[in-house]
Amino acid sequence: MAVKVAAAFIFMLFLLSTTACQAKLSSAFYHKSCPKAESAIRTAIRTAIARERRMAASLIRLHFHDCFVQGCDASILLDETSSIQSEKTAGGNNNSVRGYEVIDKAKSKVEKICPGVVSCADIIAVAARDASAYVGGPSWAVKLGRRDSTTASPALAITELPAFFDDLGRLISRFQQKGLTARDMVALSGSHTLGQAQCFTFRDRIYNASNIDAGFASTRKRRCPRAGGQANLAPLDLVTPNSFDNNYFKNLMRNKGLLQSDQVLFNGGSTDSIVSEYSRNPAKFSSDFASAMIKMGDIRPLTGSAGQIRRICSAVN
């Protein structure tokens, strides 16, 4: 009996500690300590996207690439030093992930009004939400209170970030390891409607794949020759590349997914029905995308006394 009571007590402590940890992330986290933080970040994000529309996709992707490596802790922003190996140069990030300077500008604005209060990790999360809203996508209440990592891991960036050549099973597994469902994965992939890809990531598909629309492949070959042009860019959505909408899913149903990791979402597999649903119901896609972004933002945040609030996002204090 005593053993059962002790076990129950330990379980209660676990539940309480888990609840306490989760409670530290709150949309009201800065309401007293820095009430103008979100408006300052929003101004910086809108300015950047007004200057370059593509930046919206880049900021959403930056949040994704941060959260999938060590959790949502701004480790992706750290520059290389004698004691830190940067994630910026890891495969999947190198010459691909963008928007670092936009986060730096937002951080600078926030530091002027509330020095040492708002984390870079939270700024990334807010920036992704504001980027989505600015280009016609959904908005959501961002849970805040993350702290910044003092370490980075290029090794994890290589092994845990999804790759453009992944098959469906591998993609589902990668997302499940982060607590995200197949539906979350498909919804998050919908942000590709804003993105662009480099030639080397889709060359094999447009020249060798059988499940690709011939006219679509022909169009893409103009910017992606069989040899050379590695970094030449092409929009992932040929129809409305600058607007957040559900055309990405309509494209997949016509075999017009540019990356292999896009088209596998609609290729006779378990996610076909989700793609079809989103292609017919843009409101459902928007709602699920917002929910998935909130879930992604919950991946292993540093809270309480863990980590630090970096004064400059690219370096530890």
Side-chain angles (χ1 to χ4, degrees):
M1 181 67 179
V3 173
K4 289 183 177 179
V5 171
F9 179 70
I10 292 171
F11 182 66
M12 283 295 293
L13 286 178
F14 170 76
L15 288 178
L16 288 171
S17 65
T18 301
T19 302
C21 178
Q22 291 298 316
K24 290 177 183 176
L25 288 184
S26 165
S27 60
F29 191 84
Y30 296 115
H31 280 190
K32 291 183 178 179
S33 60
C34 193
K36 296 182 179 179
E38 290 192 60
S39 62
I41 297 169
R42 187 178 302 112
T43 297
I45 300 313
R46 288 178 173 177
T47 299
I49 299 174
R51 186 179 301 115
E52 183 192 5
R53 190 81 171 181
R54 179 187 167 205
M55 188 54 69
S58 297
L59 292 171
I60 294 171
R61 186 165 181 254
L62 179 63
H63 185 34
F64 176 85
H65 278 236
D66 180 40
C67 291
F68 262 59
V69 181
Q70 295 192 166
C72 307
D73 61 358
S75 61
I76 195 171
L77 303 181
L78 288 170
D79 284 339
E80 191 90 7
T81 68
S82 58
S83 59
I84 292 176
Q85 287 186 292
S86 177
E87 293 169 17
K88 293 180 178 180
T89 54
N93 290 338
N94 192 34
N95 296 320
S96 176
V97 173
R98 309 166 65 245
Y100 302 119
E101 72 287 352
V102 177
I103 301 300
D104 288 340
K105 288 180 181 178
K107 174 66 170 175
S108 178
K109 285 182 176 292
V110 173
E111 283 293 299
K112 288 179 181 178
I113 56 177
C114 305
V117 173
V118 181
S119 70
C120 299
D122 278 345
I123 291 174
I124 294 175
V126 173
R129 185 269 312 276
D130 291 345
S132 169
Y134 187 82
V135 293
S139 185
W140 56 91
V142 179
K143 290 192 284 184
L144 303 167
R146 302 169 190 80
R147 289 170 64 83
D148 299 323
S149 174
T150 57
T151 65
S153 179
L156 287 178
I158 292 171
T159 59
E160 299 196 2
L161 285 169
F164 63 87
F165 49 79
D166 280 346
D167 61 26
L168 183 59
R170 183 63 174 140
L171 288 172
I172 290 175
S173 175
R174 288 187 189 275
F175 279 77
Q176 284 179 338
Q177 289 169 8
K178 305 300 178 183
L180 299 169
T181 66
R183 178 171 285 271
D184 294 328
M185 177 190 71
V186 177
L188 290 170
S189 297
S191 65
H192 287 187
T193 193
L194 298 167
Q196 297 189 39
Q198 298 181 60
C199 172
F200 79 92
T201 65
F202 60 86
R203 175 183 283 119
D204 184 63
R205 174 159 166 74
I206 61 175
Y207 284 99
N208 299 317
S210 59
N211 60 340
I212 188 168
D213 178 85
F216 175 73
S218 178
T219 299
R220 287 292 174 252
K221 289 174 183 177
R222 297 171 194 165
R223 289 283 296 159
C224 187
R226 285 188 179 274
Q230 294 288 82
N232 288 357
L233 293 171
L236 293 167
D237 175 9
L238 187 62
V239 184
T240 54
N242 293 318
S243 297
F244 192 105
D245 55 32
N246 68 335
N247 272 326
Y248 168 81
F249 302 106
K250 295 177 182 178
N251 292 338
L252 295 185
M253 295 182 70
R254 298 168 184 144
N255 282 340
K256 293 182 179 181
L258 186 59
L259 302 178
Q260 175 179 313
S261 55
D262 288 323
Q263 193 60 57
V264 295
L265 302 182
F266 190 84
N267 194 42
S270 60
T271 55
D272 281 17
S273 60
I274 305 173
V275 171
S276 180
E277 179 184 3
Y278 290 160
S279 74
R280 299 189 310 268
N281 192 337
K284 179 60 175 171
F285 161 51
S286 290
S287 175
D288 283 1
F289 178 80
S291 296
M293 288 293 285
I294 293 170
K295 284 179 68 175
M296 188 177 74
D298 284 340
I299 298 175
R300 294 179 58 194
L302 297 174
T303 57
S305 59
Q308 62 180 215
I309 304 297
R310 290 191 222 136
R311 293 188 296 268
I312 299 173
C313 287
S314 60
V316 298
N317 297 340

